[in-house]
Amino acid sequence: MATSKIKFTVSDGNLFSAIAGADHVSSLVFDVTTTPDGGGAIDVDGEVHQIFSLKQAQDEGIDETYEGGVVEKHISDFFAVNPNGELYVGLADMSTDFTHLSTVQTVAQGRIRQQGVYTKQELFITGTPYTVDHVAAINAIAQADADNNKPYSVILHASVATVNSLDTDYAQIPTAIGASKRVSLTIGQDNSAETKAIQDALPNKASVGAVGALIGAASLANVHESIGWVSKFDISSVITTIALGFGGVVSDIDDNTPYESLDDSQLDTLDEYGYIFPHKYTDFAGTFASSDVTLSSGDYRTLSRNRAADKSRRNVRVSLLPTLQQPLYVNATTGQVSAGTIGQFKSIVHTQLAFMQANGEISGFSITIDPAQDILSTDTFKVSYRLVPVGTNKQIEVELGLATQI
């Protein structure tokens, strides 16, 4: 027997630094069938875990053996990109609907600003060209939560490996842009042996995707910043080489359309069709999100515009709540809203928007209150404001020429 001693086991990965505010609060919601501890089928209502580190997730049974390792990988990628993130992990069977998104937001008391969704269900429905599935349903859920003052944006990854159990044909991939301003769609993944092994073990060799890394970037970004900003959001720590995740994967998992197999025009088409994918630039090290587009062609066509607008509505709403059912005075001669009442409400909204402008989250704003509104008949007071968003230079055009003299 050994001599008497006291032995210590030192654990790592337990600490994180809290980030001020809640713009970073995120979720990853997974379409799964079993519980993390292998205890059988997932509960009808699913599960929600609040996670602050990869180690915590592993301690709760979300390790490389659970669901083929795809859940652990995306959580690992999230914390690799943003080590100080606050992450809610939703686990549910979403084969019939994606309402667990709303459940996770409710459990988080409305604090989540961006949700990532991973499902092994196929993204495309067969046709010539294909049609995109799931997006409209998810956007409707997110919009309903926004209407109930719990807004968030969604980045979705559904499997692009197969369509109706056959290898995806690049030529049939359709545009995904429509009217779904609250959803962004991502394809592509790391082309590592680890990712291939996970994909090979999934049903129908479902693609793994990069949603964990992209949600990590969104949680790290200020609300007005594109996750494609090259100088700030390099995700090469988790995506070194890139594949699109489809191709001849049914017969050979190594044939999963390497990024290099697509020419510039094909990548441009995927970008124009509204897909966000891992991207590289010639002569510049790193891996980056190709853009931050949403599936809308309107004013809210980027993730950053939605995040900034959602932040303004949250802040303005909270600042206006104390005024509900307060006395509102009208001019006894004209019947119009009194100047004092207009001034009070303009000041409340101005304070919130001016703070966002000072922080660089918006370029400017205007506030309008109609003094002629009939508050005595309607018991409703209307305030309107407009935001001037922050732009991004997705394209830079440089003219080069030669001259005989300068």
Side-chain angles (χ1 to χ4, degrees):
M1 179 178 291
T3 58
S4 299
K5 64 187 68 176
I6 298 173
K7 183 178 180 180
F8 286 86
T9 299
V10 180
S11 64
D12 197 358
N14 301 301
L15 299 179
F16 73 99
S17 300
I19 301 175
D23 295 337
H24 65 288
V25 180
S26 309
S27 80
L28 288 171
V29 183
F30 297 91
D31 186 2
V32 297
T33 56
T34 61
T35 56
D37 59 4
I42 197 81
D43 295 338
V44 173
D45 296 327
E47 298 182 359
V48 181
H49 302 250
Q50 186 182 21
I51 302 293
F52 293 96
S53 69
L54 174 61
K55 181 179 183 299
Q56 181 186 348
Q58 293 168 336
D59 289 344
E60 295 185 21
I62 305 175
D63 56 23
E64 72 278 359
T65 66
Y66 175 59
E67 291 284 322
V70 68
V71 178
E72 183 200 45
K73 172 171 175 50
H74 285 300
I75 294 173
S76 174
D77 289 354
F78 173 88
F79 284 109
V81 174
N82 186 2
N84 298 319
E86 178 181 347
L87 182 67
Y88 287 84
V89 175
L91 305 171
D93 182 345
M94 296 187 288
S95 56
T96 57
D97 60 58
F98 291 87
T99 55
H100 199 57
L101 278 166
S102 188
T103 300
V104 174
Q105 179 68 311
T106 298
V107 171
Q109 299 181 322
R111 297 178 62 243
I112 294 171
R113 275 37 175 180
Q114 45 273 327
Q115 300 211 53
V117 177
Y118 175 83
T119 178
K120 298 181 288 291
Q121 298 177 58
E122 293 178 341
L123 175 62
F124 301 123
I125 299 173
T126 187
T128 308
Y130 303 143
T131 55
V132 175
D133 202 2
H134 313 307
V135 168
I138 291 174
N139 189 76
I141 293 167
Q143 189 57 53
D145 281 338
D147 292 341
N148 287 314
N149 300 310
K150 296 180 291 184
Y152 51 84
S153 295
V154 178
I155 300 178
L156 165 66
H157 180 86
S159 178
V160 296
T162 56
V163 181
N164 199 23
S165 299
L166 300 175
D167 283 315
T168 297
D169 179 1
Y170 170 84
Q172 301 306 323
I173 292 177
T175 180
I177 295 175
S180 297
K181 69 177 185 179
R182 293 202 166 272
V183 180
S184 296
L185 191 54
T186 177
I187 62 174
Q189 60 196 40
D190 185 37
N191 201 24
S192 66
E194 174 196 8
T195 301
K196 291 177 184 177
I198 293 173
Q199 182 171 2
D200 200 27
L202 293 172
N204 292 323
K205 301 188 188 299
S207 55
V208 175
V211 68
L214 295 180
I215 286 292
S219 74
L220 191 62
N222 294 317
V223 294
H224 63 290
E225 295 173 348
S226 167
I227 59 173
W229 187 4
V230 172
S231 70
K232 186 169 182 179
F233 302 112
D234 182 356
I235 55 175
S236 59
S237 61
V238 294
I239 302 178
T240 304
T241 57
I242 306 169
L244 275 296
F246 56 80
V249 295
V250 173
S251 59
D252 180 7
I253 197 66
D254 288 327
D255 186 12
N256 61 353
T257 314
Y259 175 83
E260 295 78 12
S261 69
L262 298 184
D263 60 34
D264 288 345
S265 65
Q266 290 174 309
L267 293 174
D268 287 345
T269 296
L270 289 176
D271 180 76
E272 291 165 3
Y273 282 0
Y275 301 96
I276 300 175
F277 49 90
H279 184 51
K280 289 183 177 291
Y281 295 95
T282 302
D283 298 330
F284 196 90
T287 305
F288 312 92
S290 58
S291 72
D292 78 332
V293 294
T294 66
L295 301 181
S296 169
S297 58
D299 292 345
Y300 297 92
R301 63 181 180 271
T302 66
L303 179 64
S304 51
R305 288 188 183 183
N306 278 275
R307 294 182 70 216
D310 282 347
K311 182 169 185 175
S312 77
R313 67 187 286 171
R314 286 175 180 271
N315 293 351
V316 169
R317 174 180 175 270
V318 170
S319 66
L320 288 175
L321 274 174
T323 72
L324 278 176
Q325 300 193 49
Q326 77 166 42
L328 298 181
Y329 294 94
V330 299
N331 184 298
T333 301
T334 65
Q336 294 190 340
V337 181
S338 70
T341 298
I342 291 176
Q344 176 199 1
F345 281 85
K346 272 194 173 181
S347 176
I348 291 172
V349 177
H350 184 277
T351 297
Q352 299 303 320
L353 301 184
F355 185 74
M356 290 187 67
Q357 183 177 4
N359 286 338
E361 296 167 333
I362 56 175
S363 295
F365 61 91
S366 66
I367 306 166
T368 303
I369 299 177
D370 182 6
Q373 57 184 294
D374 188 2
I375 60 176
L376 296 181
S377 297
T378 64
D379 295 331
T380 300
F381 187 75
K382 296 180 180 180
V383 180
S384 173
Y385 70 86
R386 298 287 185 269
L387 303 178
V388 180
V390 176
T392 58
N393 55 343
K394 189 175 179 184
Q395 304 289 333
I396 300 176
E397 295 185 0
V398 180
E399 180 182 346
L400 181 151
L402 302 180
T404 57
Q405 62 183 32
I406 302 298

